[in-house]
Each structure stands twice: as structure tokens, then as C-alpha cells.
Amino acid sequence: MMRTYSFLTVLLWSCMLHAVHMMPSQKRTNKHSQSERITGLSGNDGETLHRTKRGWMWNQFFLLEEYTGPDTQYVGKLHTDQDKGDGNLKYILTGDGAGSLFIIDENTGDIHAAKKLDREEKSLYVLRAKAIDRKTGRQVEPESEFIIKIHDINDNEPKFTKDMYTASIPEMSGVGTSVIQVTATDADDANYGNSAKVVYSILQGQPYFSVDPETGIIKTALPDMSRENREQYQVVIQAKDMGGQMGGLSGTTTVNITLTDVNDNPPRFPQSTYQFSSPESAPPGTPLGRIKANDPDLGENAEIEYSISNGDGSDMFDIITDKDTQEGIITVKKQLDFENKMLYTLRVEATNTHLDPRFLQLGPFKDTALVKISVEDIDEPPVFNRPSYLIEVDEDAKEGSIIGQVVAQDPDVTKNTIKYSVDRHTDLDRIFNIYSGNGSLFISKPLDREETPWHNITVIATEINNPKQSSQIPVFIRILDINDHAPEFAKYYETFVCENAKAGQLIQTVSAVDKDEPPRGHKFFFELVPEFAVHPNFSIVDNKDNTAGIMTRRNGYSRSKTSTYLLPVIIFDNDYPIQSSTGTLTIRVCACDSRGNMQSCNAEALLLSAGLSTGALVAIFLCIIILLVLVVLFAALKRQRKKEPLIISKDDVRDNIVTYNDEGGGEEDTQAFDIGTLRNPEAREESKMRRDVIPETIFQIRRTTPLWENIDVQDFIHRRLKENDSDPAAPPYDSLATYAYEGNDSIANSLSSLESLTTDGNQDYDYLSDWGPRFKKLADMYGGEDKTF
């Protein structure tokens, strides 16, 4: 046993010496574990137990990578003390690379590396070995594991994580400002020697940048680097192993560094003065030109705001900023006038909108420039001195009267002559006209405010030398009211009075309307016509509020005697000249109940109340129709007769008959004549006021007591006859004096031609002889004997 152990010890040391010779700098590790084999007899056998050590040589082998010798590289030798050297044992190798990378001599146990190894691919291999008896095939030793470790050599250069780096840093940064960190790795063993120790250096980019040799951090090396001077930098960094010593391997990378912009430059105008021009007709908002202040900064640092700081045209022009081009656009703010001002001067200011407080010491971040704008003259149309005209004219203005004047002038320096005209599309009736030379408006037709209170016309002013230059102006003509319409009843009144009415009872309230519009409002007065000033049946009470009440003057009315009353009412206004009209109320007498509610106003009601039957009523109506037909026939026959002359005397007095065909305009015609004069013979012409003269006092209605108020009508006529007979101022010829009252039971009866046909003989006109010398010739004409012509 001692002999075997000594042999194994010598073999082990020889292998270790060989490995040391192959790798002098390699660290060796010897892990020797033995397993004891115990043999002997049991207690029953009485044999003694013996413990022997295993005879395997096991170890950790070392190899250098990248071996390039002519022969295979010897790794080591496996051996067991069971090997007698007679070739009876066989060595077998299994595990990583067995048979391909590592070959074992099965007889001797020598191991060789068949190929060149690379530690960066695999740094250690784990293999297993066993020894087998060739004859029996039994393992003489248990299978044992061992390691082959590859020792590193400096065969890899440092490599950067990126082939190219990109970095940026603000311009004007201080020295030592970090830019970026680059990193290089070495595939060699960092735990063995300096093969993987990398040192960084800068090959390109000085003196602007530097690099930390150990960390690879790139920093600025110069202060206040300006982007405007240089924006891009390319820096080349080298990484070298072996601690940067000679013979070390190296790798490089490129770093592209960009300086980012900061607002360190104020805007500056490239020129101090700018010139622009604008026609005076340019409307507000028209752009005239662009100016730009240069700012070498970028982005928001170059944003500029333009403004007009002062100048004589600051209120006439404006400047706006184009956000896309950073230009200032000069625009027209108000309407220009060449004749008023031909040249304007502006001071424009350009200011950065985003300031950086770090660089305010570099100076004010704004600049100014002068902008001169000249105004070009344009031939302009005439200009009126007002935007519109308002003219007021009375509606009674005479044709040809001048009502107002419009004035326009040429705003140009030439001051061309202007002519005026009326746009006939606005005056189709040609009511107004204008003098073309001076613009005076005059009336061509009568005006009527009640028909058209306003006229809106357009006047055109045109340059004589250039008819294309014209302008228009609206003229509003207001027609002023004059009192040319008489008041009248507001509506048609259906008035009735009850048969059982009492005196002083209100039967109707009337009101009036007037087409005129007096400035102080309407004020109407109501009264009965002079001949009915004291009416026996009705009276009128003026309520002083433009209404009047119709009152009864006696108790009880009878339909059988009088079914209808006509009540003329005079209505006056209070404007100048005073206008009046007469309206007639038709008052029917009706049967009413005890409460005054109308029950019936028709004649049929009277007949029915007498107890007449329907047949009797029909017969009465037929008789009335027959009588009407007979009257019409008699009238037709009368017209066919040849009229006989009334005068057969030699003295033809027909020359004394004067015929007037003026019938007047009725009650509503207040402009023709005063019908009240005919009805009231006592009315005096001098008491009427002239309408073309303004009265000194308000018109007062003079109420005179009629002459016939307390006398009989017949007595009245006789008095009038006596007055005319004894009047020395009466004309020296016979004249017809007409009186509106015949009285009752006139001896002349009716003069109707229809009624005269019903008499059998001629009428007796002898009574004419009693009327005095004034009626002598009339008595001779009608009172004499009939003569046949």
C-alpha cells in the first residue's frame, strides 16, 4: 500500500509541473478528495479489515486560449494505481467537448486539445473519466469529474455599446457641463490581468469637449459656445484596454453633439427706415407692406411682436404680426385723405416675446425702425356735407317753392364742378325737382300730407368733367300739416228716442275725427246750426272732451206724428284756419220698454198695433205701388207737352232773370260758401274771418238770438217784406228774396209741378197784387188772363 501511494504522489506532481510549465502565470487549484475503500473479514470470518486509498489522479486542468502551435496542446494525464502498465485497463473520457475538442489516449490516459479554444466562447469545460478492465469490462475505479479551465489572453479590443451617439446641449453652457456618457466593454477576463481594463480618451473634438478617462462622460471644455457661430460638433472617443498601456487593443465611437438654441440674441432691423405708399381710397384693413427684424435664434426664442410706438400716423395705420414668417404687416386703420395729409411717419418696435433672464445683460431685446407712408391722390366722387338731409315743408306750399338745398363738393385738389339731379326711381310722381347748379330743391306738384306724410328721395351729385364720379345722398322730406280738413262725425250714428222719453235725457253721445294733426292735439266744439240753436225737441251739450251729448228737451214723442227728426250739428276745430262742417243726425222715434230699451221703430209696428190683418196690410201696399206708378206716368206725359210761354207782353222781362248754376259742394264743402248764411239771414259777412290772415284772437262763435225765436213765421215774412219794400238800398228792379220758412197753411200752397197736374183749373195768383209794388210785374204775369201763344 505504501508503495502504491508513493507512486501516485510522484505522478500527480509530474502532471502539475507540466501544467505549470505550460501556463506559468495561471493560478492552480488542487482539490484532492479521496474515498477510502475498506476491505476485510467480518467478525464471524475472523478476517482483519484493511483501508486502501483510491488510485485516481484527478485535478483541475488549465489551458491557454488561442493556442497556435504545430502540435496539439497537451492538457494532462489520467491515471489509476490499478493500472499495472500491461494495457489491461482502458481510459474513457466523456463530457463537454469529449471526442471533439478533447482527445484521450485510452491506453495511457493522456489528454490533448484537438482544436484552438476561445475563452470568450467558453471559459471552462466539465468532463468525466473512468477506467475499465478490458477483459471483464468492469470499472476499476468509480467515474470521476474534473474541470478544464481556459486561461485568458488579451485577444479582444474594447467595443462601444453604440457605433454612433447623438447628444445635445444648450448653447452658452459653462465649462464642465456634462453632455453624454459613452461606454465600451472588453470581452477579455476582467479578473485576470489588465486585458479588460479600459481607458477613454478623445481623438477629435478638442478644444471644445473633453472626456473622463474612467467614466467616459463627455463634458464641455470651452465657455459660451454660440449656436449661431457653430451648431454641430463631431467628437471621436477612443477606448483602450490594458489600462491604456502600449500594446493594448482599442476601439472608437463617434458622438454628434448639437448646440440647442437659447434666447441670447435680440431682434434687429436690417435697415433703419422703410418706405411705403397707399392710395387714399384704400379701405381699412388693406395691407401696405411687410417689415422684418432679424433674430438668429430659433423657435419661440425668435418670436417677435411688432407695435407702433409713436408717430403722426399711429391712429391711421396699424401693424400686425405674421406668426408664420415673424414679419410685421403694415395695414390701413382709417380712411386716408390725400387732401388732408400726404405723408405719415411711424416708429415701429420689434420685441421678443419670450425672454431669458440669464441673458438680459446682453442688452434690450427689442429694436425700432422708422416707416414712412406716402398717400397717393385718387379721383374721388363728390362728398356731401351731411350724411343725410331732413327737410320740412308745409303741405300748402306753392308749386315752384324752394324747400331746401343739398351741398356737395369735389374732395380732390382740382375741385371739379358739381351738378345735381334727383333719382327718379325714388320720385316716380316727379313731385320734386332740383336746380342742377346749386342743389336747391323745389316743388313741382301740390303736396298732401294726408295722402303721403313723408317723401324719401335720393339726390345724385356728379362731376361735370368726369360723370363716372358720382355719389348719392338720401333726402327725407316731411310734409307738415295745415288745417285744411274740417272735422266730421267719427261714424254714422243710429240714434233713437223713446216715445216715453223725459226732458233732459241723454239719447246719444257723438264724437268727431279730423284728418289733420294739429301739434297741440285735436279740440272739437259742437253746437246746433244757428236756425236750430234753440231746438224745440233736442239740445246738444258739449262735454269739452271732444264729445257731445244729444239731450231731449220735452217729455214724450209720438211716432204717429213724427217718426224721424233731422238734427244738424256743426263741428268746429281749434286750429288755424278754423274749419267746420255740419253733420246731420237722424233721430228715429221708437217704442221702448220701461227701462228705455228699444222695442220697435218701424211703421209696421204702428199698423200692427191697430189690429190690422195681414191681408189689409198687403192691400195697402198694393195701393201705394199703384199710386207711385200713376205719378210716374203723369210726369212722363207732362214732359211731352209743349211748354207755353208765360210772358206774352211786349215788355220782355226775361232779361231780369239771372240763373246761377252753382249748387255748392253740400254740407261737407266748407271751402265753397257758408251755408249758414243762407239759413240765417241775420249773419253778417264781416263777422267771418279770413282764412289767409292769422286772427289776433281765437275764433269765438257769436251766438245771436234769431229774430223768429218768439214770433210766428208768417209775421216774420211780413216783416221781411216790409223791410224790403222800404229799403232805399234795394236794387231798382224786381228780385227774388228767398226765405227758408214758409210757415204753416201758406196761401200759395205747393208750387210742385206734379201737384199742379192734379188740379182741374189754373191757380189763383191774385194775392200777388197785395204784396206791394215790388211784386207788381209778377202779379201781372201770373194774375192776368191766360193767353195762348
Side-chain angles (χ1 to χ4, degrees):
M1 289 293 293
M2 295 299 296
R3 187 182 300 172
T4 302
Y5 181 79
S6 300
F7 176 76
L8 289 174
T9 302
V10 172
L11 180 61
L12 178 59
W13 279 108
S14 64
C15 291
M16 293 177 65
L17 290 173
H18 177 73
V20 170
H21 177 74
M22 296 295 295
M23 300 178 61
S25 63
Q26 189 175 12
K27 182 178 180 182
R28 291 183 289 272
T29 303
N30 186 9
K31 295 182 180 179
H32 186 190
S33 63
Q34 297 180 359
S35 61
E36 296 181 349
R37 182 177 59 184
I38 302 175
T39 61
L41 299 175
S42 65
N44 297 329
D45 295 338
E47 294 181 356
T48 304
L49 297 177
H50 298 280
R51 184 178 64 184
T52 61
K53 293 183 179 180
R54 285 184 53 187
W56 270 111
M57 184 198 74
W58 61 276
N59 204 345
Q60 177 173 293
F61 298 100
F62 296 93
L63 282 180
L64 290 174
E65 65 172 338
E66 305 296 340
Y67 175 73
T68 57
D71 298 329
T72 58
Q73 187 177 3
Y74 180 73
V75 178
K77 183 178 181 64
L78 295 177
H79 189 72
T80 177
D81 57 356
Q82 297 295 326
D83 189 0
K84 304 299 184 181
D86 54 2
N88 192 32
L89 294 180
K90 179 181 179 181
Y91 295 96
I92 299 176
L93 184 65
T94 60
D96 293 339
S100 59
L101 293 179
F102 302 102
I103 301 172
I104 190 172
D105 188 338
E106 62 181 10
N107 294 321
T108 62
D110 293 327
I111 301 174
H112 292 81
K115 297 181 180 178
K116 182 173 63 173
L117 302 177
D118 188 356
R119 189 200 67 83
E120 286 70 36
E121 291 183 4
K122 193 173 182 65
S123 61
L124 59 85
Y125 296 86
V126 179
L127 296 104
R128 291 176 297 277
K130 57 184 176 179
I132 301 174
D133 190 335
R134 291 180 183 271
K135 294 180 179 181
T136 63
R138 180 176 62 87
Q139 291 187 12
V140 296
E141 294 287 349
E143 188 177 64
S144 179
E145 184 179 90
F146 64 94
I147 296 174
I148 299 176
K149 188 174 183 180
I150 309 302
H151 272 297
D152 182 48
I153 64 172
N154 190 18
D155 59 343
N156 291 281
E157 74 277 4
K159 292 185 178 179
F160 286 92
T161 56
K162 294 181 181 179
D163 294 336
M164 181 176 293
Y165 291 84
T166 302
S168 63
I169 185 175
E171 62 174 333
M172 309 298 289
S173 297
V175 176
T177 302
S178 297
V179 180
I180 192 174
Q181 183 179 18
V182 296
T183 304
T185 59
D186 195 324
D188 293 326
D189 190 359
N191 297 321
Y192 182 77
N194 293 326
S195 298
K197 186 177 182 181
V198 178
V199 174
Y200 300 95
S201 61
I202 184 168
L203 300 182
Q204 179 182 324
Q206 294 175 331
Y208 306 104
F209 300 95
S210 63
V211 64
D212 189 299
E214 294 184 359
T215 62
I217 297 176
I218 300 175
K219 301 179 181 179
T220 58
L222 288 179
D224 301 333
M225 287 189 294
S226 176
R227 183 201 63 82
E228 289 74 28
N229 295 332
R230 183 176 178 182
E231 183 178 4
Q232 299 288 339
Y233 293 87
Q234 190 175 71
V235 179
V236 178
I237 302 299
Q238 181 188 65
K240 190 174 183 180
D241 59 12
M242 297 299 293
Q245 297 177 3
M246 293 293 294
L249 302 178
S250 64
T252 60
T253 187
T254 301
V255 182
N256 291 325
I257 301 175
T258 302
L259 296 183
T260 58
D261 185 61
V262 296
N263 192 11
D264 59 338
N265 293 281
R268 291 291 181 264
F269 283 105
Q271 59 192 71
S272 60
T273 304
Y274 294 85
Q275 294 280 351
F276 297 102
S277 62
S278 172
E280 62 176 337
S281 60
T286 302
L288 302 181
R290 293 172 176 253
I291 61 175
K292 184 177 182 180
N294 297 326
D295 191 334
D297 295 324
L298 298 176
E300 68 175 15
N301 296 322
E303 291 183 1
I304 301 174
E305 187 71 26
Y306 294 91
S307 62
I308 299 176
S309 58
N310 53 42
D312 57 0
S314 58
D315 58 338
M316 302 298 296
F317 301 93
D318 198 1
I319 186 168
I320 58 177
T321 304
D322 189 335
K323 298 299 183 181
D324 296 330
T325 62
Q326 298 301 314
E327 293 177 315
I329 305 174
I330 307 293
T331 61
V332 178
K333 186 177 181 180
K334 294 183 179 180
Q335 187 68 47
L336 302 175
D337 187 359
F338 172 82
E339 290 71 26
N340 186 27
K341 192 173 180 62
M342 295 180 289
L343 181 64
Y344 294 91
T345 302
L346 308 175
R347 183 170 294 277
V348 178
E349 185 177 272
T351 307
N352 277 141
T353 57
H354 298 83
L355 299 180
D356 193 334
R358 297 176 299 171
F359 306 105
L360 294 179
Q361 73 278 2
L362 297 179
F365 282 75
K366 61 183 178 181
D367 195 14
T368 59
L370 288 179
V371 178
K372 295 183 178 180
I373 302 174
S374 58
V375 182
E376 299 175 353
D377 187 24
I378 299 297
D379 189 6
E380 299 175 88
V383 178
F384 287 92
N385 59 353
R386 299 182 189 175
S388 63
Y389 289 87
L390 173 62
I391 299 176
E392 295 182 343
V393 57
D394 293 332
E395 64 176 321
D396 62 345
K398 303 300 181 182
E399 297 181 20
S401 300
I402 294 178
I403 61 175
Q405 184 182 21
V406 297
V407 178
Q409 62 180 359
D410 184 9
D412 299 319
V413 178
T414 56
K415 301 297 180 183
N416 292 326
T417 306
I418 306 298
K419 67 175 181 179
Y420 303 90
S421 61
V422 176
D423 186 356
R424 291 305 173 187
H425 294 90
T426 61
D427 185 24
L428 298 177
D429 296 332
R430 296 181 176 269
I431 300 176
F432 303 96
N433 212 329
I434 192 170
Y435 291 108
S436 61
N438 59 10
S440 296
L441 286 164
F442 61 91
I443 303 173
S444 299
K445 293 183 178 180
L447 303 176
D448 187 357
R449 188 204 65 84
E450 286 71 32
E451 179 179 351
T452 306
W454 284 90
H455 294 271
N456 301 330
I457 66 174
T458 300
V459 175
I460 303 173
T462 307
E463 293 183 11
I464 295 179
N465 296 336
N466 187 5
K468 294 182 179 180
Q469 294 296 337
S470 64
S471 57
Q472 300 178 349
I473 194 74
V475 179
F476 307 104
I477 302 174
R478 179 182 180 183
I479 309 302
L480 300 180
D481 184 39
I482 63 170
N483 194 26
D484 59 344
H485 290 83
E488 57 187 14
F489 282 129
K491 63 178 182 179
Y492 174 76
Y493 293 98
E494 295 182 357
T495 308
F496 71 94
V497 60
C498 296
E499 288 182 307
N500 56 356
K502 303 298 182 181
Q505 182 177 339
L506 176 66
I507 63 173
Q508 181 70 60
T509 299
V510 296
S511 61
V513 293
D514 194 336
K515 294 181 181 180
D516 298 316
E517 292 183 359
R520 294 183 299 274
H522 290 292
K523 182 64 178 178
F524 300 123
F525 302 95
F526 302 85
E527 66 177 28
L528 297 178
V529 294
E531 54 265 36
F532 288 126
V534 181
H535 198 280
N537 298 310
F538 304 99
S539 64
I540 187 168
V541 176
D542 196 332
N543 297 327
K544 307 302 181 181
D545 60 353
N546 294 339
T547 63
I550 307 300
M551 312 293 292
T552 59
R553 294 198 64 183
R554 63 186 179 88
N555 298 326
Y557 296 84
S558 175
R559 282 184 296 166
S560 60
K561 293 182 180 180
T562 304
S563 61
T564 303
Y565 291 93
L566 299 179
L567 185 64
V569 178
I570 301 177
I571 309 173
F572 299 90
D573 59 21
N574 68 331
D575 203 2
Y576 174 81
I578 293 177
Q579 299 286 349
S580 64
S581 67
T582 302
T584 301
L585 287 177
T586 300
I587 304 174
R588 296 182 299 166
V589 181
C590 301
C592 302
D593 57 14
S594 59
R595 296 182 179 179
N597 297 322
M598 181 182 66
Q599 292 181 338
S600 174
C601 299
N602 299 328
E604 295 179 2
L606 294 174
L607 297 177
L608 291 174
S609 62
L612 294 178
S613 63
T614 305
L617 292 176
V618 172
I620 291 174
F621 285 131
L622 289 176
C623 293
I624 293 173
I625 294 173
I626 292 173
L627 290 175
L628 291 175
V629 172
L630 291 175
V631 170
V632 172
L633 291 175
F634 281 125
L637 293 174
K638 186 68 175 178
R639 291 177 182 176
Q640 292 179 358
R641 291 182 180 180
K642 182 177 181 181
K643 295 182 179 180
E644 297 179 355
L646 296 177
I647 302 175
I648 58 176
S649 173
K650 295 180 181 180
D651 298 327
D652 193 351
V653 297
R654 286 179 294 175
D655 292 339
N656 295 331
I657 299 176
V658 180
T659 302
Y660 299 95
N661 294 325
D662 187 4
E663 294 182 350
E667 294 177 351
E668 294 182 357
D669 187 2
T670 60
Q671 300 294 332
F673 54 85
D674 191 355
I675 194 172
T677 304
L678 298 178
R679 294 186 177 181
N680 185 4
E682 294 184 0
R684 297 180 180 179
E685 185 67 20
E686 59 272 16
S687 65
K688 295 188 62 178
M689 300 179 62
R690 295 179 57 184
R691 295 183 181 179
D692 56 345
V693 179
I694 300 177
E696 296 179 357
T697 59
I698 299 178
F699 178 79
Q700 299 292 334
I701 301 173
R702 185 175 62 182
R703 300 170 181 256
T704 58
T705 303
L707 185 61
W708 60 86
E709 181 174 355
N710 297 318
I711 61 176
D712 185 72
V713 175
Q714 184 174 1
D715 295 336
F716 164 76
I717 294 176
H718 286 303
R719 289 186 182 185
R720 286 300 186 193
L721 288 173
K722 187 176 180 179
E723 290 176 1
N724 281 276
D725 290 338
S726 60
D727 186 10
Y733 48 83
D734 292 339
S735 62
L736 180 62
T738 303
Y739 302 98
Y741 303 94
E742 292 182 333
N744 295 327
D745 299 328
S746 173
I747 60 175
N749 293 324
S750 174
L751 298 178
S752 172
S753 60
L754 293 177
E755 188 175 354
S756 64
L757 294 176
T758 60
T759 60
D760 296 331
N762 294 329
Q763 297 184 20
D764 185 10
Y765 296 102
D766 295 335
Y767 60 88
L768 296 177
S769 302
D770 300 331
W771 286 10
R774 297 287 185 182
F775 295 90
K776 182 177 182 305
K777 188 166 295 285
L778 186 62
D780 294 339
M781 293 174 58
Y782 288 90
E785 297 179 357
D786 294 337
K787 296 181 180 182
T788 304
F789 290 90

